[in-house]
Amino acid sequence: MSKQAGLPVLEQDDVACCAPMVREPLGEEAAAELSRMFKALSDPIRLRLLSLIASHEGGEACVCDLTGPFDVSQPTISHHLKVLREAGLVGSERRGTWVYYWVLPEALAKLSALLQIPAVSAKAPA
């Protein structure tokens, strides 16, 4: 049974930790947390793994479903999944001999809120 029934839709107000950078500067703690997430996503394999997990039917994927699309060994995939988990981007659960992964929506909401730009009225040409 999945720990996650579906990805909840978070409203802008639900993401209180991070105001968009254009409104106020990041604090030291928030910058450290967010930089770990962005660093984890800076690797193409990890970015693809996150995408595969997020788009997998039911919102979670077994590690056995994640090794096929890559030209790297299973231990390398496990390492990349560990990095994503330690960065707070995915959750996991062991079921028998397999580990299942799902994306943590609150982490994606933090990243999204940080990069969101406020609506700006069009400037008149000078």
Side-chain angles (χ1 to χ4, degrees):
M1 192 73 166
S2 171
K3 285 189 176 250
Q4 179 178 5
L7 297 178
V9 176
L10 298 177
E11 297 297 324
Q12 179 70 20
D13 295 340
D14 293 338
V15 186
C17 83
C18 311
M21 287 189 292
V22 296
R23 282 193 239 157
E24 64 185 56
L26 284 173
E28 188 175 332
E29 189 176 314
E33 177 188 6
L34 290 163
S35 70
R36 281 189 296 275
M37 291 181 187
F38 281 115
K39 185 176 181 180
L41 292 175
S42 69
D43 183 279
I45 292 176
R46 290 193 288 265
L47 187 57
R48 286 184 60 208
L49 279 169
L50 188 73
S51 176
L52 283 169
I53 295 166
S55 64
H56 203 270
E57 186 176 335
E60 68 177 26
C62 174
V63 69
C64 60
D65 297 325
L66 300 172
T67 56
F70 300 95
D71 192 24
V72 295
S73 67
Q74 188 279 324
T76 301
I77 294 295
S78 291
H79 165 74
H80 286 299
L81 289 167
K82 178 183 175 187
V83 171
L84 290 171
R85 192 178 68 250
E86 288 176 349
L89 293 165
V90 298
S92 66
E93 176 184 63
R94 178 171 292 283
R95 298 180 200 153
T97 59
W98 298 110
V99 178
Y100 288 78
Y101 292 88
W102 57 88
V103 172
L104 298 174
E106 61 274 8
L108 297 184
K110 287 178 185 179
L111 296 173
S112 177
L114 177 71
L115 297 176
Q116 184 179 27
I117 58 172
V120 181
S121 60
K123 293 183 179 181

